[in-house]
């Protein structure tokens, strides 16, 4: 039997995963050779249908320069992926965890 704890967490479905090496830009600085792993989750209705425009990105960045990583914690960064696309992410902690919520260029990868 499935129990629902009242959170929206179980109403997202992983629809894409991207991994590779890219470049991070923030506040005029650029950091090369940043390894990334990013998953895109699609918001879903209780009936299991996708909700247009409701997306969440969750993942991690691995910098060669750990001091740069420390300095960027709490910042919004632009991750330039190896395929040429760009994601705008918030760097949450010194472990390199990144997230983004919402819809639009750099946020959802669908437009």
């Amino acid at each position: 039997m499935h129990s629902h704890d009242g959170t929206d967490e179980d109403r997202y479905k992983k629809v894409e995963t991207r991994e590779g090496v890219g470049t991070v830009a923030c506040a005029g600085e650029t950091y090369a050779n940043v390894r990334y792993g990013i998953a895109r989750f699609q918001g879903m209705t209780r009936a299991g249908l996708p909700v247009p425009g409701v997306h969440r990105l969750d993942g991690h960045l691995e910098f060669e320069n750990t001091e740069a990583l420390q300095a960027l914690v709490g910042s919004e960064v632009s991750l330039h992926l190896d395929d040429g696309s760009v994601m705008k992410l918030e760097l949450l902690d010194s472990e390199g965890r990144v997230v983004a919520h919402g819809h639009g260029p750099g946020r959802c990868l669908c437009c």
Side-chain angles (χ1 to χ4, degrees):
M1 177 178 213
H2 175 71
S3 67
H4 182 67
D5 64 4
T7 69
D8 291 333
E9 196 67 27
D10 59 332
R11 288 190 284 190
Y12 281 87
K13 177 182 175 184
K14 185 192 292 189
V15 294
E16 181 178 15
T17 301
R18 301 235 187 142
E19 295 180 341
V21 177
T23 302
V24 168
C26 181
E29 296 290 326
T30 302
Y31 307 91
N33 300 316
V34 177
R35 297 191 70 67
Y36 61 85
I38 307 291
R40 180 170 67 95
F41 296 86
Q42 169 71 54
M44 307 296 284
T45 66
R46 290 184 190 269
L49 300 172
V51 179
V54 177
H55 300 271
R56 186 181 87 225
L57 299 176
D58 197 346
H60 68 279
L61 303 177
E62 294 176 26
F63 285 68
E64 288 183 336
N65 180 343
T66 57
E67 290 178 13
L69 172 64
Q70 299 294 328
L72 294 174
V73 170
S75 300
E76 183 174 277
V77 300
S78 295
L79 172 62
H80 298 257
L81 282 67
D82 55 8
D83 68 358
S85 59
V86 179
M87 294 181 183
K88 293 182 181 177
L89 305 165
E90 181 182 355
L91 184 57
L92 294 181
D93 60 30
S94 61
E95 299 296 313
R97 181 157 183 252
V98 291
V99 296
H101 299 275
H103 183 66
R107 296 256 181 232
C108 58
L109 301 177
C110 72
C111 62

